Amino acid sequence: MPRFCLHSLYRGPHRLHLLLWACMGAVLFAYPAVARDIRVGLKEDVASVTIGSSTSALLTDNQNRTLGKLPALQGFDAVAASGGVSLAHTKAWQITVKPQEDGFVYVGDRWYRGQVSLIRSGGGFTVVNRLNIEDYIASVIGKEMYPTWPLEALKAQAVASRSYAMFQQQRPKFKLFDVLSTTTSQVYAGLTSEANSTQAAVKATSGEVLTYQGKLVEAVFHASSGGHTENSENIWVSPVPYLRGVPDFDQTAPVYQWTVNFSAAQLRQRIPGIGDIVSMKPIKTTPNGRVQLLKIQGNAGSVVMKGSSVRKALGLRSTLFSTKPAFGLVAGATSSAKPSGFEITGRGSGHGLGMSQWGALGLANQGKSYREILTHYFQGTTIRPMP
């Protein structure tokens, strides 16, 4: 079966018409049967969203009772209504769109496999995509790594992402779904991020997960560690035996080293309440140099911030950074003068725990297998079939 893509769309008097075309050269694999679904939160508490289906679709409620049908290749606006969600002349607290004949569901601006539920929540409704976990992983890989990377790196991502997703299912954080489609969990974009290479990586590792002493691991990952990953207790609270810091192989990453500059006015806006910042000094770091606590002195006070809070406030790529005051080209300026800003130099991107994605690329380019990549970053683990 060819893979379908959005070709064009236009608004009619009452609904959005969808036209599809088969993408050239895209082939869908038939994965070995893995009887496990995952629920992905696509949107939370929205007032409306456009819904469509590539084939005729059944509309059912939360008790699987048929409410109606959605015609193929036509879009409808789902809206939050009093007492539920309204879609295509039906209304219920929950409406599930179930495409027939292996069709796809259109949500907002993307196509998804499986089925989609619209569930009344908060001031609007939540959109949840339920699909086979192997189909989900094929899409995740295409957003978390470049599909053109070596297959062994993509296979490592497949096993890590599958393990992470299943771990989240076992310890749910959300009420209506297992994972989000954003970086809060791992990035998922439906059909648009699938590729032949990501599907091949899923097929080659079908059902495989990482375990430690027989238990599923939380296989976290990040883009680049900046040379060395971290022990979990340096980033989180407690030590995790399989999340030990190891040398990284991410030197080719574009984010291996980076520098950003902030003016005094920018810093005053992003770290308010202490006036113009005159010094930024780490008072606690990890053995690898990640900032855990930073003392920031202003001319109107001071504050001690967590490194993760500074990273968020300033939009830094990681907490592996150092600061340097800038004094500008002012005649007679001395080190005691008020800085005109700060230069922040750092390495890596992400929290530094678990698998480094650019490091996985480096190891794959050295000829390492996905098993060797995973057991390097997740110490003492074993790859086993999905329980």
Side-chain angles (χ1 to χ4, degrees):
M1 176 185 288
R3 168 182 168 188
F4 288 106
C5 296
L6 182 66
H7 177 54
S8 63
L9 47 86
Y10 65 94
R11 280 206 172 273
H14 304 291
R15 58 200 180 196
L16 181 71
H17 293 260
L18 310 178
L19 300 177
L20 303 176
W21 67 298
C23 290
M24 296 178 61
V27 178
L28 299 185
F29 284 104
Y31 306 120
V34 176
R36 179 183 288 269
D37 283 356
I38 188 165
R39 300 172 304 159
V40 188
L42 302 180
K43 299 177 184 292
E44 291 186 274
D45 298 334
V46 294
S48 65
V49 69
T50 302
I51 300 293
S53 176
S54 63
T55 61
S56 176
L58 289 178
L59 301 180
T60 64
D61 64 10
N62 62 325
Q63 295 183 0
N64 204 32
R65 294 176 298 199
T66 299
L67 300 172
K69 284 190 175 182
L70 206 65
L73 304 182
Q74 295 184 15
F76 297 84
D77 289 331
V79 297
S82 176
V85 183
S86 177
L87 172 65
H89 308 298
T90 64
K91 189 175 80 168
W93 189 259
Q94 173 178 319
I95 299 177
T96 298
V97 182
K98 299 180 177 180
Q100 305 299 289
E101 301 174 354
D102 297 322
F104 309 120
V105 184
Y106 183 74
V107 180
D109 59 356
R110 290 175 178 167
W111 290 96
Y112 297 92
R113 296 178 185 273
Q115 62 187 40
V116 168
S117 295
L118 315 173
I119 308 169
R120 193 71 163 87
S121 63
F125 59 92
T126 295
V127 183
V128 180
N129 180 202
R130 180 169 184 160
L131 73 162
N132 184 274
I133 195 168
E134 302 297 278
D135 292 328
Y136 163 73
I137 298 301
S139 174
V140 168
I141 300 171
K143 293 299 290 185
E144 291 290 353
M145 280 186 172
Y146 291 103
T148 54
W149 279 10
L151 183 60
E152 293 305 306
L154 300 181
K155 287 159 67 175
Q157 184 68 61
V159 176
S161 288
R162 187 183 294 111
S163 304
Y164 177 85
M166 288 184 58
F167 187 92
Q168 300 309 311
Q169 284 185 316
Q170 291 183 359
R171 301 185 182 185
K173 299 178 183 178
F174 312 104
K175 182 179 179 180
L176 300 178
F177 46 84
D178 303 314
V179 292
L180 280 163
S181 60
T182 66
T183 54
T184 299
S185 298
Q186 48 189 359
V187 186
Y188 164 71
L191 287 175
T192 187
S193 58
E194 290 185 19
N196 288 350
S197 58
T198 69
Q199 293 164 339
V202 171
K203 185 177 181 180
T205 64
S206 180
E208 292 183 348
V209 292
L210 276 168
T211 62
Y212 181 82
Q213 294 184 354
K215 296 182 179 180
L216 194 66
V217 309
E218 187 172 13
V220 292
F221 49 87
H222 59 282
S224 164
S225 74
H228 204 285
T229 66
E230 286 284 354
N231 290 343
S232 61
E233 61 269 24
N234 295 331
I235 306 299
W236 296 343
V237 176
S238 304
V240 179
Y242 53 81
L243 294 178
R244 301 292 87 196
V246 295
D248 203 359
F249 300 85
D250 60 338
Q251 289 74 18
T252 61
V255 292
Y256 182 73
Q257 291 183 319
W258 46 266
T259 299
V260 291
N261 292 278
F262 295 93
S263 68
Q266 288 174 322
L267 290 173
R268 189 168 57 247
Q269 182 182 35
R270 300 191 186 199
I271 305 176
I274 57 174
D276 290 325
I277 293 174
V278 296
S279 70
M280 305 173 75
K281 295 181 179 179
I283 57 177
K284 185 179 180 182
T285 64
T286 70
N288 294 311
R290 291 179 184 272
V291 176
Q292 293 175 305
L293 292 174
L294 186 74
K295 183 176 182 180
I296 306 173
Q297 181 69 52
N299 61 4
S302 65
V303 65
V304 174
M305 295 179 65
K306 291 182 178 180
S308 57
S309 298
V310 176
R311 178 190 173 193
K312 182 177 180 181
L314 300 183
L316 305 179
R317 293 186 178 276
S318 74
T319 57
L320 185 57
F321 65 84
S322 60
T323 66
K324 178 182 177 182
F327 294 96
L329 300 175
V330 180
T334 66
S335 59
S336 62
K338 184 176 67 175
S340 59
F342 277 79
E343 177 184 271
I344 300 181
T345 302
R347 297 204 311 273
S349 180
H351 48 58
L353 290 179
M355 186 179 75
S356 159
Q357 292 165 314
W358 281 91
L361 170 65
L363 286 171
N365 284 335
Q366 292 179 22
K368 302 296 184 182
S369 70
Y370 76 100
R371 292 177 176 272
E372 292 173 306
I373 294 170
L374 289 167
T375 54
H376 172 71
Y377 288 110
F378 300 99
Q379 295 283 290
T381 58
T382 302
I383 299 175
R384 293 182 176 178
M386 184 186 299

